[in-house]
Amino acid sequence: MNKPKIVILGAGYGGMITASRLTKELGYNEADITLVNKHDYHYQTTWLHEPAAGTLDPEKTRMKISEVLNLSKIHFVKDVVVDIKRDEKKVILENGELDFDYLVVALGSEPETFGVPGVFEHAFSKWTVNGARQVRDHIEYMFSIYNNEDEKRDELLTFVVAGAGFTGIEFIGELSERVPELCKRYDVPREKVKMYVIEAAPTALPGFDPELVEYAMNLLESRGVEFKISCPIKEVTEYGVILADGSEVKAETVVWATGVRGNSIIEKAGFENMRGRVKVEPDLRAPGHDNIFIIGDCSLIINEEINRPYPPTAQIAMQQAAVCASNIKALIHNEPTKGFKPDIKGTVASLGGKEAIGVVFDRKLYGSSANFMKKMIDNRYLFMLGGTPLVLKKGKNPL
Ligand code: FAD
């Protein structure tokens, strides 16, 4: 009998946990499992603000897929997905094709520009390992050339973060913590460095607990960060950003962190979608497709309590992955699938150094206790993926 072919696209949080669960839950002869990813490593997207600001070695955020998955039970294909032929049950790769009986789409997200011109040309918007390295090196270069130019140009030391959501706040938290060290190393007066967080919404961290938002903003302001709230960016240029009121902030560094949309492959493949995200059925299958599951940032699920989509998070991607794996197993065994409901345990945002804010199990946390919790969450993921050895190799010291 032919074994069903399961193909998983993307080795992020969703893809890795699906792959790991399937290799454990299915017997050797029950299915052929293939994981496709554009790199031969997996990285923790949720840590990338740290290497981007230069406070963590980028190597800490990634690991070889072969080191954490049992590749005797799963085929790994390093390639780029270019299209999904849904009706032909085929995935088109840059260097070949794959047939599937069951498909899991876990290709993550792409930056959302909201139509603002100049983002891709002039801002740093890639939240990947290579994107983080590029931002870190660029920041350091700005400090290094400041004293080497005849004219002292303020824009070399002006850093703009577009978006005061979690990614923007976590990044500026790390950068503001690092600036004193950079000033010392490159003989730059501290007061010359300007850091702006520019947000279109009427508050930083929209939707988060107001008391914690105030704590975060006060802390960041005490490190020299200036917030421009209710201040949409109209354009990113080679000189900086132009705001809706026509004023300009000159900066050689603009980091784009205004949120994400789903992977463009979703649109290209013709799935019905909203900004690249598919509103999936309760059991995580794409509407009208018995054999295609969509999870993580490519999927959209509604929070019934407020009738709005849940924000895309690693927490949800991992929980979906576990249900997706068990639903594929159920289909292979001709059993009914089960529905997915997120179990939100909390949200913690780091603010650099030993500072963080969060709500965990309905308790508000500030400062070092929130920071401890954040590091434990990061380590817990490593434990889920690779047990104690991976925590010892890549984990963070929570103290
Ligand atoms: P990803 O983890 O992004 O994985 C997608 C994978 O697909 C990647 O390996 C990518 O290389 C691969 N891929 C993409 N396109 C292709 C292609 N065409 N061909 C082959 N491979 C491809 N969430 C939280 O829950 N908590 C947090 O504290 C948190 N902090 C964050 C901080 C930052 C700086 C950022 C950027 C995000 C943060 N998030 C956080 C959100 C979280 O990272 C995402 O929701 C999560 O990564 C989504 O998982 P995923 O599996 O859908 O996609």
Side-chain angles (χ1 to χ4, degrees):
M1 194 186 105
N2 279 344
K3 288 191 273 182
K5 294 188 184 91
I6 305 171
V7 174
I8 303 164
L9 306 180
Y13 291 89
M16 287 297 276
I17 298 289
T18 307
S20 157
R21 288 288 181 116
L22 282 172
T23 56
K24 286 175 191 144
E25 290 186 19
L26 291 175
Y28 264 106
N29 292 319
E30 280 195 281
D32 270 329
I33 310 170
T34 303
L35 173 67
V36 185
N37 196 56
K38 59 165 83 158
H39 309 289
D40 61 2
Y41 57 84
H42 160 71
Y43 57 85
Q44 290 102 277
T45 317
T46 61
W47 297 23
L48 288 174
H49 52 287
E50 297 176 60
T55 52
L56 183 76
D57 179 353
E59 287 308 309
K60 278 268 189 182
T61 65
R62 65 175 186 162
M63 62 200 72
K64 284 260 186 205
I65 288 170
S66 58
E67 284 172 18
V68 280
L69 289 181
N70 182 349
L71 293 191
S72 67
K73 287 183 156 188
I74 193 164
H75 312 285
F76 173 65
V77 175
K78 179 173 173 273
D79 209 334
V80 177
V81 178
V82 291
D83 204 355
I84 299 164
K85 301 285 177 205
R86 296 172 295 150
D87 297 333
E88 294 163 45
K89 296 190 187 173
K90 250 185 215 322
V91 176
I92 312 297
L93 308 175
E94 259 179 18
N95 300 298
E97 291 182 3
L98 287 170
D99 294 326
F100 63 83
D101 296 303
Y102 298 102
L103 182 70
V104 180
V105 185
L107 289 168
S109 63
E110 293 175 6
E112 177 59 275
T113 67
F114 300 104
V116 173
V119 173
F120 293 122
E121 295 82 357
H122 306 297
F124 295 95
S125 62
K126 286 191 180 145
W127 293 96
T128 58
V129 174
N130 289 330
R133 285 184 182 128
Q134 199 187 355
V135 177
R136 176 198 63 180
D137 292 352
H138 172 85
I139 291 171
E140 205 138 336
Y141 182 59
M142 293 296 104
F143 275 84
S144 71
I145 58 175
Y146 179 74
N147 281 325
N148 282 321
E149 291 193 354
D150 294 336
E151 188 200 343
K152 295 275 176 280
R153 291 191 298 129
D154 290 345
E155 52 271 33
L156 289 174
L157 297 178
T158 303
F159 301 93
V160 167
V161 176
F166 268 78
T167 303
I169 292 293
E170 290 198 310
F171 173 73
I172 204 71
E174 297 299 319
L175 182 62
S176 59
E177 181 69 10
R178 189 164 181 237
V179 158
E181 174 219 317
L182 287 166
C183 288
K184 208 165 157 194
R185 191 184 314 163
Y186 292 99
D187 305 313
V188 166
R190 171 67 193 80
E191 63 279 9
K192 283 284 167 200
V193 179
K194 301 273 179 265
M195 289 174 279
Y196 294 99
V197 176
I198 304 180
E199 168 61 54
T203 171
L205 295 172
F208 208 52
D209 181 276
E211 207 184 324
L212 295 176
V213 175
E214 198 186 334
Y215 178 90
M217 287 177 77
N218 288 342
L219 177 90
L220 294 170
E221 280 168 349
S222 75
R223 295 188 194 152
V225 175
E226 205 176 301
F227 285 90
K228 287 181 180 288
I229 299 294
S230 297
C231 206
I233 292 174
K234 202 167 73 177
E235 189 177 350
V236 186
T237 68
E238 62 180 299
Y239 307 108
V241 291
I242 298 172
L243 307 179
D245 64 7
S247 62
E248 186 181 13
V249 178
K250 284 194 169 173
E252 291 268 336
T253 312
V254 178
V255 174
W256 198 257
T258 61
V260 294
R261 51 189 287 118
N263 194 299
S264 48
I265 299 281
I266 291 285
E267 286 156 323
K268 190 174 174 192
F271 289 101
E272 199 179 308
N273 71 88
M274 280 144 86
R275 293 167 52 209
R277 301 174 73 196
V278 176
K279 188 164 174 252
V280 287
E281 301 289 358
D283 67 1
L284 303 174
R285 281 186 276 186
H289 294 279
D290 284 348
N291 57 345
I292 303 182
F293 290 81
I294 302 191
I295 61 172
D297 287 3
C298 288
S299 70
L300 185 145
I301 40 174
I302 300 291
N303 181 345
E304 308 278 338
E305 282 169 31
I306 53 171
N307 200 26
R308 295 194 56 181
Y310 280 98
T313 61
Q315 185 173 187
I316 290 182
M318 289 189 281
Q319 292 178 8
Q320 286 179 319
V323 172
C324 171
S326 104
N327 281 348
I328 290 177
K329 180 181 167 191
L331 291 175
I332 291 173
H333 292 177
N334 285 321
E335 288 164 5
T337 56
K338 61 182 181 196
F340 171 74
K341 192 164 173 18
D343 174 18
I344 306 298
K345 301 194 175 1
T347 310
V348 187
S350 62
L351 300 173
K354 295 205 179 305
E355 286 285 352
I357 48 167
V359 179
V360 179
F361 296 120
D362 292 331
R363 262 192 66 204
K364 287 189 212 181
L365 299 173
Y366 303 81
S368 54
S369 54
N371 176 58
F372 178 86
M373 188 55 81
K374 178 81 179 172
K375 303 260 167 32
M376 292 304 284
I377 293 168
D378 288 346
N379 289 345
R380 178 176 170 268
Y381 172 66
L382 294 178
F383 184 78
M384 277 171 72
L385 211 52
T388 309
L390 192 59
V391 179
L392 292 174
K393 194 167 167 194
K394 302 277 183 185
K396 294 179 176 172
N397 178 357
L399 300 173

